[in-house]
Amino acid sequence: MTSERNRSTGRPTLDEVASRAGVGRGTVSRVVNGSLQVSTRTREAVEQAIAELGYVPNRAARALVTQRTDSIALVVPEPGERFFTEPFFGRIVQAISAALAGSDLQMLLMIAQSPQERQRLEGYLTRQHIDGALLLSLHGGDDPMPVRLEERGVATVRVGRPAHPGPACYVDADNRGGARKAVSYLVERGRQRIATIAGPLDMSVGMDRLDGYRDVFGAGPMALGDFSEESGAVAMRWLLEQHPSLDAVFAASDTMAAGAIRVIKESGRRVPDDVAVIGFDDSAIARHTDPQLTTVYQPVEAMGQEMVRLLLAKLGGESLDSYEVVLETHLVVRDSA
Amino acid sequence: MTSERNRSTGRPTLDEVASRAGVGRGTVSRVVNGSLQVSTRTREAVEQAIAELGYVPNRAARALVTQRTDSIALVVPEPGERFFTEPFFGRIVQAISAALAGSDLQMLLMIAQSPQERQRLEGYLTRQHIDGALLLSLHGGDDPMPVRLEERGVATVRVGRPAHPGPACYVDADNRGGARKAVSYLVERGRQRIATIAGPLDMSVGMDRLDGYRDVFGAGPMALGDFSEESGAVAMRWLLEQHPSLDAVFAASDTMAAGAIRVIKESGRRVPDDVAVIGFDDSAIARHTDPQLTTVYQPVEAMGQEMVRLLLAKLGGESLDSYEVVLETHLVVRDSA
């Protein structure tokens, strides 16, 4: 079940201003933008409505009368190598691209990792080049980019719940619920010594998938990875050394699960007979492991569509500064568990 | 050895106009852009020089006095799936990104496959949003995009020699020479029945690698692929059916070589003992095949740097409309041949 929640503090919309002033949206925009094509009386009515409602005009309202840039940014604040090796990025970029296919908005993909690159990017984004920005994979709760962009009038939608609480417009998968389903399935199948390979804990996606494991199994054997296949292999090697009798592992990504399967087999154990493995993502790699991977499906395509829908709504003047859409996840049973 | 050649038809540069008129570059630009800050006498001198030389002002000249957009486009006219699965793209995007790290230019990556998406993209690129464009992987000689962009004043640099002759500014690897080195190596090692898996022949990269094979071995057994791993497997299966006694195969990409190795082993043959395999690209996959892949290295990182260097030169007003840089390739010997 998809959950959708507007946690807005009640900031008034352009429509509410127009309604209260008894004028159209375009008229409000013209007043906000200082157009001379508005009569003094109308201007005063709009200004009064703005004052009464405490309306703060945003970039989208301005764009109604100023020239639109006809483009949106898709920002990837990640190392380029990670962008090209982590399957999530390819899937969501294609989903967003598909969601924009019917629009007249050009998608501009921007990769920025180093502080210098990020500074240049922020400058570019706030110099009126784009209508809005979709932000992918923000590590940590202290990333100032989304807040700075919003402050400077760039409408933004993020993927992934921010690690620290605060107003944000984002789309996420139910990572915690998905992890619970995976670990519950292992328990139901009689597994008793279930370890987990967690993702980075400065990202909500890493934290949520670990919390789901703990919800069901409590504090079991845990190792940390960075979502890469190699990190999954290293983590699995360590887990087998420390807990040679474990009979299952829940990895927080398919790539880490693939690394884990390789190490389990190298140790002479069978998957799933000796050690069951469940991943997370249901990416293409899940059908190429041997045995094929049981994993948690996250609806990346729908997440991309939702991000576009929310951004277009913001550009249309809707007040979604504190808005979340969380899409359901489910277990896909194959051969590894 | 790198080869670099300006095949320009002698189109005059802005510097030549300035020199003939006895004024500075900036003055020529101001005249071209219709600035009022130029005396009538100076204007007439510049206009006369322009007429005498047949100078055609380009976007770069205009940019000297108009506002720069501080961004360049990196255009990928390919399906998104191919973009994320073909290692070449990841490598060259990172190379271009690295080459721009020290500049104030923001790289905007644009993926467009369908006719609708390409039309939207062309519109975007020609509406003064960007300073110039780098074009990746243009199939066929009839792709009108680069010519249309140039005609509309967008400076462009391509990767890969256009399949049909004509003026173009591009950076390429010596694909034909690299293929020759691979097949010569197989011949020197005593292989006598050498097949090839060629890439798409509507791309110069596919044609050139096939020509290199033919230069050395003549018309041997050939199958076609599309550079994907699966296409390499299908091609290899067909080759083994038709020519069961072949003792070597040169594949025009590492991914196709990986598919070929899998099929050769499935057929009960040993690599390289029964069938030697050489790929092309030296991408990451070459170190993950079993046995590790002997392959032709192409300097993707240097190619990205060269593309940026040429585009910056064009933006600076240099006349490089018919200019080629071809970078050397060499064989990397591992275990598969």
Side-chain angles (χ1 to χ4, degrees), chain B residues 11-25 27-34 42-58 61:
Chain B
R11 231 174 82 168
T13 64
L14 187 140
D15 281 327
E16 291 172 275
V17 174
S19 169
R20 160 120 19 165
V23 300
R25 290 165 60 89
T27 304
V28 176
S29 288
R30 278 188 287 276
V31 170
V32 166
N33 288 282
T42 302
R43 175 182 312 280
E44 285 173 359
V46 171
E47 284 173 352
Q48 190 178 341
I50 286 174
E52 287 171 6
L53 290 168
Y55 174 69
V56 181
N58 65 9

Side-chain angles (χ1 to χ4, degrees), chain B residues 16-320:
Chain B
E16 291 172 275
V17 174
S19 169
R20 160 120 19 165
V23 300
R25 290 165 60 89
T27 304
V28 176
S29 288
R30 278 188 287 276
V31 170
V32 166
N33 288 282
S35 166
L36 300 175
Q37 301 169 293
V38 184
S39 73
T40 307
R41 192 157 66 172
T42 302
R43 175 182 312 280
E44 285 173 359
V46 171
E47 284 173 352
Q48 190 178 341
I50 286 174
E52 287 171 6
L53 290 168
Y55 174 69
V56 181
N58 65 9
R59 181 178 170 78
R62 291 203 304 277
L64 286 176
V65 291
T66 56
Q67 200 175 10
R68 290 283 289 270
T69 67
D70 56 25
S71 63
I72 63 165
L74 178 55
V75 178
V76 186
E78 286 281 342
E81 193 190 335
R82 211 173 118 68
F83 178 67
F84 283 101
T85 54
E86 164 63 45
F88 173 78
F89 291 115
R91 279 173 75 193
I92 197 151
V93 167
Q94 291 179 67
I96 290 167
S97 184
L100 287 169
S103 80
D104 57 359
L105 285 168
Q106 177 66 44
M107 181 181 82
L108 308 177
L109 188 55
M110 306 179 195
I111 305 170
Q113 178 197 15
S114 72
Q116 292 78 4
E117 286 173 331
R118 297 188 65 160
Q119 193 169 21
R120 183 177 66 191
L121 177 60
E122 274 190 44
Y124 183 84
L125 293 175
T126 53
R127 277 197 300 280
Q128 313 280 320
H129 289 304
I130 52 143
D131 289 331
L134 302 171
L135 306 180
L136 299 189
S137 182
L138 297 159
H139 279 266
D142 53 352
D143 189 322
M145 190 190 284
V147 172
R148 274 208 292 250
L149 291 179
E150 285 280 349
E151 280 172 0
R152 299 178 70 174
V154 179
T156 61
V157 176
R158 311 187 208 188
V159 70
R161 182 174 57 76
H164 291 211
C169 179
Y170 68 89
V171 174
D172 207 350
D174 182 8
N175 290 303
R176 188 166 183 160
R180 275 194 214 121
K181 286 173 191 169
V183 181
S184 297
Y185 177 84
L186 291 170
V187 169
E188 286 159 17
R189 307 280 284 201
R191 303 288 169 167
Q192 298 186 319
R193 295 174 298 281
I194 306 172
T196 189
I197 301 174
L201 299 185
D202 66 340
M203 297 174 76
S204 66
V205 59
M207 202 65 228
D208 289 352
R209 291 176 189 179
L210 176 60
D211 282 341
Y213 164 85
R214 285 175 167 159
D215 288 345
V216 177
F217 197 71
M222 179 183 91
L224 281 175
D226 64 3
F227 287 140
S228 72
E229 184 167 342
E230 191 48 36
S231 76
V234 170
M236 194 67 232
R237 216 166 276 132
W238 185 87
L239 283 169
L240 287 176
E241 277 170 26
Q242 302 293 317
H243 309 274
S245 67
L246 59 80
D247 61 7
V249 62
F250 164 62
S253 79
D254 287 351
T255 43
M256 293 198 298
I261 286 178
R262 179 159 55 83
V263 166
I264 293 167
K265 285 158 67 180
E266 282 170 7
S267 80
R269 294 167 172 87
R270 290 162 302 165
V271 177
D273 308 64
D274 300 319
V275 183
V277 179
I278 298 187
F280 204 115
D281 284 337
D282 196 24
S283 57
I285 197 173
R287 280 173 295 275
H288 289 98
T289 55
D290 177 24
Q292 292 198 356
L293 190 64
T294 295
T295 185
V296 180
Y297 172 83
Q298 67 164 330
V300 177
E301 287 66 30
M303 289 164 72
Q305 284 167 10
E306 285 299 302
M307 291 180 76
V308 169
R309 180 177 72 85
L310 293 185
L311 188 61
L312 294 181
K314 279 185 115 170
L315 294 175
E318 280 188 54
S319 178
L320 301 174

Side-chain angles (χ1 to χ4, degrees), chain A:
Chain A
M1 202 168 55
T2 302
S3 90
E4 185 159 348
R5 194 150 60 106
N6 193 342
R7 301 176 301 145
S8 168
T9 48
R11 232 173 81 169
T13 65
L14 187 139
D15 282 326
E16 291 173 274
V17 173
S19 169
R20 162 132 0 179
V23 300
R25 292 164 59 89
T27 304
V28 176
S29 288
R30 280 189 285 277
V31 170
V32 166
N33 288 282
S35 165
L36 299 175
Q37 300 168 292
V38 184
S39 73
T40 306
R41 193 157 64 172
T42 301
R43 176 184 310 281
E44 284 173 358
V46 171
E47 285 173 350
Q48 191 179 340
I50 287 174
E52 286 170 7
L53 291 168
Y55 174 70
V56 182
N58 65 8
R59 181 179 171 78
R62 291 201 304 275
L64 286 176
V65 292
T66 56
Q67 202 177 8
R68 289 282 290 269
T69 66
D70 56 26
S71 62
I72 62 164
L74 178 55
V75 178
V76 186
E78 286 280 343
E81 193 191 335
R82 210 172 119 68
F83 178 67
F84 283 100
T85 54
E86 163 64 44
F88 173 79
F89 291 115
R91 279 172 76 193
I92 198 151
V93 167
Q94 291 178 69
I96 290 166
S97 185
L100 287 169
S103 79
D104 58 356
L105 286 166
Q106 177 66 44
M107 182 182 83
L108 309 176
L109 189 54
M110 307 179 193
I111 304 170
Q113 180 197 12
S114 72
Q116 291 79 4
E117 286 172 331
R118 299 189 62 161
Q119 191 168 23
R120 183 177 67 192
L121 177 61
E122 274 190 43
Y124 183 82
L125 293 175
T126 53
R127 278 197 300 278
Q128 313 280 322
H129 290 305
I130 53 145
D131 289 330
L134 301 171
L135 307 180
L136 299 188
S137 183
L138 298 157
H139 278 266
D142 53 351
D143 190 321
M145 190 188 284
V147 172
R148 275 207 291 249
L149 292 180
E150 284 281 350
E151 280 172 359
R152 298 177 69 173
V154 180
T156 61
V157 176
R158 314 188 206 184
V159 69
R161 183 174 58 76
H164 290 215
C169 180
Y170 69 88
V171 174
D172 206 350
D174 182 9
N175 290 303
R176 188 165 182 163
R180 276 193 213 121
K181 287 172 190 169
V183 182
S184 296
Y185 178 83
L186 291 170
V187 170
E188 286 158 19
R189 307 280 284 199
R191 303 288 170 167
Q192 297 188 317
R193 294 173 297 282
I194 306 172
T196 189
I197 301 174
L201 300 186
D202 66 341
M203 298 175 76
S204 66
V205 60
M207 203 64 229
D208 289 352
R209 292 176 187 179
L210 176 59
D211 282 340
Y213 164 84
R214 285 177 169 160
D215 289 344
V216 177
F217 197 72
M222 179 184 93
L224 281 175
D226 65 3
F227 288 140
S228 73
E229 184 167 341
E230 191 47 37
S231 77
V234 170
M236 194 68 231
R237 215 166 277 131
W238 184 86
L239 283 169
L240 287 175
E241 277 171 24
Q242 302 293 316
H243 308 275
S245 66
L246 58 81
D247 60 8
V249 62
F250 164 62
S253 79
D254 288 351
T255 42
M256 291 199 298
I261 286 178
R262 178 160 55 81
V263 167
I264 292 168
K265 285 157 67 180
E266 283 170 8
S267 80
R269 294 169 173 86
R270 292 162 302 164
V271 177
D273 309 63
D274 300 319
V275 182
V277 179
I278 298 186
F280 204 115
D281 285 336
D282 196 25
S283 57
I285 196 175
R287 282 173 294 277
H288 289 97
T289 55
D290 178 23
Q292 291 197 356
L293 190 65
T294 294
T295 183
V296 180
Y297 172 82
Q298 67 163 330
V300 177
E301 288 67 28
M303 289 164 73
Q305 285 166 11
E306 285 298 303
M307 290 179 77
V308 169
R309 182 177 72 86
L310 293 185
L311 188 61
L312 293 181
K314 281 186 114 172
L315 294 175
E318 281 188 52
S319 177
L320 301 173
D321 294 339
S322 191
Y323 198 89
E324 64 176 39
V325 173
V326 179
L327 298 172
E328 202 189 8
T329 50
H330 64 262
L331 192 67
V332 178
V333 177
R334 295 200 182 87
D335 305 323
S336 68

